[in-house]
Amino acid sequence: MLNPQILNIEPIEVLCVRHTGAYTKCAPAWEKLMTFAYANNIVNKNTRIFGIGYDNPHIVEESKLRYDACITKDTNIALEEGITETSINGGKYATFLHKGSYETLCDTYNEIFAVWMVENQINLRDTPPFEEYLNDPKTTKPEDLETLIYIPIL
């Protein structure tokens, strides 16, 4: 059973690398972003890691899906090609904690959209949902990964 927390958040400034294609194949975007971040010493204990999926994979052709791999921006830095700045929209969100592998995130999204939203008559705001990755997949077993899913609601 889904039990979301409702939050009002401020906009979040982020650095990002765009991936176009299957959401399951975004590793190169993460590699580029994190290589840049570590090389420029901009990762610290306050750094937050996000993913923004702009398109519904049930509607948009897989080759056209857009995803941004993001980290919080807390300093001005010269960007290299392929790395941009953007802002995650603030406002009201329902947040859901997904525990487990990234491969099963789609199951949680399906439950959110097909069950929780329908049963609770929830309306979406016109901004993309996003994910916050709470632990490191390189040092955490897949079954222990935690992902906070933010769904923009009215």
Side-chain angles (χ1 to χ4, degrees):
M1 172 162 244
L2 294 173
N3 188 22
Q5 181 178 5
I6 307 301
L7 300 176
N8 277 296
I9 68 168
E10 295 297 317
I12 303 168
E13 299 301 314
V14 293
L15 301 176
C16 58
V17 173
R18 172 66 51 95
H19 165 77
T20 304
Y23 288 146
T24 57
K25 297 186 176 154
C26 60
W30 282 110
E31 289 168 21
K32 180 175 182 63
L33 179 64
M34 298 313 290
T35 298
F36 172 81
Y38 282 107
N40 288 279
N41 200 30
I42 58 173
V43 178
N44 59 56
K45 64 181 173 78
N46 297 318
T47 301
R48 296 170 69 190
I49 311 293
F50 299 100
I52 308 170
Y54 292 93
D55 304 298
N56 181 336
H58 298 294
I59 297 171
V60 176
E61 181 183 315
E62 185 176 273
S63 66
K64 295 180 180 176
L65 294 173
R66 297 167 297 151
Y67 174 89
D68 284 343
C70 307
I71 62 168
T72 47
K73 175 187 179 272
D74 61 1
T75 186
N76 287 325
I77 188 166
L79 302 179
E80 63 184 45
E81 185 176 338
I83 297 179
T84 60
E85 295 180 36
T86 193
S87 180
I88 293 173
N89 292 322
K92 186 176 180 182
Y93 288 86
T95 61
F96 300 84
L97 183 62
H98 170 83
K99 291 185 180 182
S101 156
Y102 298 145
E103 285 76 32
T104 61
L105 273 167
C106 62
D107 297 335
T108 302
Y109 275 101
N110 288 338
E111 189 174 353
I112 291 167
F113 285 101
V115 179
W116 180 78
M117 288 186 62
V118 172
E119 288 178 355
N120 293 283
Q121 300 177 342
I122 301 296
N123 291 311
L124 292 174
R125 289 187 297 122
D126 188 20
T127 192
F130 64 95
E131 301 161 358
E132 182 173 5
Y133 307 107
L134 303 178
N135 42 21
D136 185 346
K138 292 186 179 184
T139 59
T140 307
K141 293 179 184 175
E143 62 269 19
D144 295 330
L145 290 171
E146 293 186 339
T147 305
L148 194 56
I149 300 171
Y150 291 74
I151 304 296
I153 61 174
L154 291 174

